[in-house]
Amino acid sequence: MAGTSQHGKAFIRPKKNAHLLIIEARFHDDLADALLDGATSALDEADATYDVVTVPGSLEIPGVIAFALDGMAEGGKVYDGFVALGTVIRGDTYHFDIVANESSRALMDLSVQESIAIGNGILTTENEEQAWVRAKKSEGDKGGFAARAALTMIALKEKLGAQS
Ligand SMILES: Nc1c(NC[C@H](O)[C@H](O)[C@H](O)CO)[nH]c(=O)[nH]c1=O
Ligand SMILES: CC(=O)[C@@H](O)COP(=O)(O)O
């Protein structure tokens, strides 16, 4: 896979034991297993804890983060960061563009407007083959990448003094 590297220097870990929410879309079930495997392995390795919420498709992921933020504001469970996992594979219609673009747009809006740490592990590929290369922990490990990106954002939030 072109451009694959561990990007090791880009990742840092938070000082605190972070607790994250993984939201996984299972529209493509087997690929979802692979992404989740990578993400949970990365969080385990960093001694982070996590809950997992499952949704039907990637378009539902940002809404779940919004629900969790509402819950936190009401005294519910606190999450230091979020990991979004899903796979969008191009079909015959414009639906691909809607799911791929809108899921990421909403994640970016949440990230910037709510000042929250999000790792975006939603694959957007032309076909299943491309998706597998990116989802497998032993290959592209995009689930692991998204989890490490979320931990890095939590650490940067700590470093820059933002309140969680
Ligand atoms: N086609 C894909 C979808 N589509 C489903 C939507 O995400 C959503 O669940 C539906 O529109 C109901 O609101 N989702 C994916 O994650 N991947 C796809 O390839
Ligand atoms: C997200 C997609 O593109 C796909 O699942 C939908 O396929 P289609 O455009 O053929 O309806």
Side-chain angles (χ1 to χ4, degrees), residues 59 88 94-106 124:
L59 278 182
V88 192
Y94 186 68
H95 188 61
F96 171 85
D97 301 78
I98 296 291
V99 181
N101 294 339
E102 289 302 301
S103 56
S104 284
R105 183 201 52 76
T124 54

Side-chain angles (χ1 to χ4, degrees), residues 41-64:
S41 297
L43 295 181
D44 289 341
E45 196 187 308
D47 291 325
T49 54
Y50 49 84
D51 295 327
V52 180
V53 167
T54 301
V55 292
S58 298
L59 278 182
E60 280 73 56
I61 293 176
V64 171

